[in-house]
Amino acid sequence: MTLKTAQQIIHQPTSALLPYAKNSRTHSADQVSQLAASIKEFGFTTPVLVDDDNGIVAGHGRVLAAQQIGLEDVPTINVGWLTETQRRAYIIADNKLALNAGWDEDVLRSEMEFLSSQHFDISLTGFNFSEIEALDVDLLETKVDTLAMRILAL
């Protein structure tokens, strides 16, 4: 079996990228802000997938976040080899397949405790205060206060 793979990353203006009108995945303002904070902290690490017409196949939220923080260009990968049916299915699969994964809560708790010990803002992981609290993570007092204030501000 021969798999098709992307050959190159091309930086394109966010204004040239076209959202898919039938994208069933939604992005709240809070979630876009979380993505924007993640991009600021870690960089733009996952290219946007586009078709031959610059239609967004994967990365709608990342493009919104990039626009929110004023990024004019983002990395893209062309997946123009997908048929229309494959493209439409992939748009759904890309979002759903990640949701089907689970968490090793012991490992997650350990990682969160490490991040807290390094004074890292663990809200950048995407977990909210109640999720972190449910894990029974031993957090530094100041990080709990910072995280709680950040969440309450949303």
Side-chain angles (χ1 to χ4, degrees):
M1 171 187 223
T2 303
L3 293 178
K4 298 191 182 202
T5 60
Q7 298 301 310
Q8 60 184 326
I9 294 174
I10 299 170
H11 288 260
Q12 296 195 62
T14 57
S15 60
L17 304 178
L18 307 171
Y20 178 51
K22 293 185 179 184
N23 186 21
S24 56
R25 188 67 168 181
T26 61
H27 299 283
S28 69
D30 288 345
Q31 195 251 350
V32 171
S33 292
Q34 286 179 322
L35 288 168
S38 177
I39 291 168
K40 283 182 187 177
E41 178 69 25
F42 307 116
F44 206 104
T45 60
T46 306
V48 176
L49 302 184
V50 296
D51 62 23
D52 287 334
D53 298 319
N54 277 345
I56 300 171
V57 175
H60 290 83
R62 291 189 303 280
V63 170
L64 292 171
Q67 291 170 332
Q68 183 180 93
I69 61 176
L71 289 180
E72 293 180 15
D73 296 326
V74 295
T76 65
I77 294 175
N78 186 295
V79 293
W81 65 77
L82 297 174
T83 67
E84 179 183 357
T85 301
Q86 287 175 320
R87 179 182 52 78
R88 291 170 80 160
Y90 184 81
I91 290 169
I92 296 168
D94 181 62
N95 288 295
K96 177 59 176 150
L97 292 175
L99 296 176
N100 291 345
W103 293 98
D104 180 322
E105 291 189 5
D106 292 333
V107 173
L108 179 59
R109 181 179 309 104
S110 174
E111 289 294 287
M112 291 292 194
E113 288 172 351
F114 170 80
L115 294 173
S116 177
S117 76
Q118 300 300 304
H119 304 283
F120 186 81
D121 182 355
I122 60 176
S123 69
L124 290 170
T125 65
F127 283 84
N128 65 38
F129 182 74
S130 62
E131 292 170 322
I132 293 168
E133 192 175 50
L135 285 169
D136 196 28
V137 175
D138 184 19
L139 298 175
L140 297 175
E141 188 72 28
T142 57
K143 293 315 284 183
V144 172
D145 293 342
T146 301
L147 179 60
M149 287 189 296
R150 193 177 234 203
I151 290 168
L152 292 174
L154 295 177

